[in-house]
Each structure stands twice: as structure tokens, then as C-alpha cells.
Amino acid sequence: MKNKIRVLGSITLLSASLLIMNSCSSIPKGAMVIQDFEKDKYLGNWYEIARLDFIFEKNLNNTTAEYSLNENGTIKVVNRGYNYIKNKYVASTGKVKFAGDSKEGKLKVSFFGPFYSGYNIIGLDSDYKYALVAGKSLKYLWLLSRDKTMPQEVKEAYLKTAKDLGYNTSELIWVKHD
């Protein structure tokens, strides 16, 4: 009986922890997502210009993200990059959902089953050529472009936005595309 109670207690604790984690904000404090977002215009290929490095993109260059619609209307993302240490390309396929209103750039992405993380579009030009994406905290940031480069004035504007939110932009990895 004690073991059953212990197991039930562990399940309850795990469930409560997951509920709390999922109810926490998935956007850095002060960040605002873009409004009047048009999903269809965002689809396609994006080049990663810069990022705050984290374990899943460690040692990668030539990184891209390709967004497409699945038959059921959901969004699929395929992230690719070249691991210059292991000398091979790697790819990961995930799913993207809206975290609320589909006219807002507040999304969530999953590469691991039911676990989602914030994907917040906080900068986007009217032609959908350049994007600034914040993760769930100040540990995650991406500058994206439809081309392998980004104009200096766009880059400076996005860096200023990121700095104003508290990001340490000196830690950005500037991605090589060769």
C-alpha cells in the first residue's frame, strides 16, 4: 500500500510540475510578438544568420529552417545544418502550433513528442524576408533571413531590440553559409 501511495504521490507531483511549467510564460519579459501574422507568408526556407548557441545546434553552420504545411493544416519544420566537427549534415523534423491567436507571431515548436517550447516572432519586415525570433527565455534568440545574408540596418535594428530586452548579444554565434 505504501508503494502505491508513493507512486500516486510521484505521479501527482509530476503532473503538477508539468502543469506549472506549461502555464509559465513562454516569452521573455517585455517582448511583444508581431501582430497581423500571416502563416502562409512565413512558410518556406529561412537561413539562420545568428543565434545564441545551445546544445541542439552546437557545432553547426549552414543552418536553415524550412516551414511547410502538412495535409491536415498543421505546420512542419525541418531544421538542417552542417556539423563541422563530425563533417556531416544533420536534420531534425518538428511540428509548430500557434500558442494562441493565429494572427499573432506567438508559436510553439516541438521536436520531442508532446514537449513544446516558445517560438516568438518579435521582429518581421513587411515582405517576410527578415525575422527576429525569441525563445521562451533570454537563452534563445535567432536572426533569420530568406537569403544567406542580412542587410546591416536590419541586423542593427534587431540587435538593438534584443539588447533592449536584456539579451547578451555579444554571445551570438554568427552562422557561416558556405
Side-chain angles (χ1 to χ4, degrees), residues 57 63-67 77-81 90-94 109 111:
E57 287 189 293
T63 48
T64 61
E66 184 178 2
Y67 298 88
V77 59
V78 179
N79 287 349
R80 291 180 180 88
V90 295
S92 183
T93 301
V109 64
F111 292 93

Side-chain angles (χ1 to χ4, degrees), residues 48-163:
E48 190 177 81
I49 302 301
R51 70 171 178 268
L52 287 177
D53 214 14
F54 66 105
I55 193 157
F56 297 111
E57 287 189 293
K58 191 125 186 98
N59 303 322
L60 295 184
N61 60 21
N62 296 296
T63 48
T64 61
E66 184 178 2
Y67 298 88
S68 61
L69 281 181
N70 291 315
E71 286 183 16
N72 66 1
T74 60
I75 301 170
K76 174 174 113 175
V77 59
V78 179
N79 287 349
R80 291 180 180 88
Y82 184 77
N83 186 315
Y84 53 85
I85 300 296
K86 296 180 179 179
N87 293 317
K88 69 177 187 173
Y89 277 94
V90 295
S92 183
T93 301
K95 51 190 169 185
V96 180
K97 293 183 179 181
F98 285 94
D101 188 334
S102 65
K103 289 293 184 183
E104 294 182 333
K106 188 171 187 175
L107 306 157
K108 54 187 181 177
V109 64
S110 174
F111 292 93
F112 307 104
F115 304 104
Y116 284 84
S117 189
Y119 182 98
N120 305 289
I121 304 166
I122 60 173
L124 185 65
D125 71 300
S126 61
D127 294 327
Y128 285 65
K129 288 181 70 176
Y130 311 107
L132 177 62
V133 178
K136 65 180 181 176
S137 72
L138 296 177
K139 294 179 182 179
Y140 306 98
L141 183 72
W142 296 268
L143 280 77
L144 305 176
S145 174
R146 296 291 188 172
D147 299 311
K148 294 179 181 181
T149 61
M150 178 180 280
Q152 189 63 30
E153 63 273 9
V154 174
K155 193 183 304 182
E156 287 174 8
Y158 285 172
L159 291 174
K160 181 181 181 336
T161 298
K163 283 180 188 176

Side-chain angles (χ1 to χ4, degrees), residues 5-20:
I5 292 171
R6 207 174 286 147
V7 169
L8 286 175
S10 296
I11 291 171
T12 302
L13 181 60
L14 176 63
S15 298
S17 297
L18 288 173
L19 180 63
I20 289 169

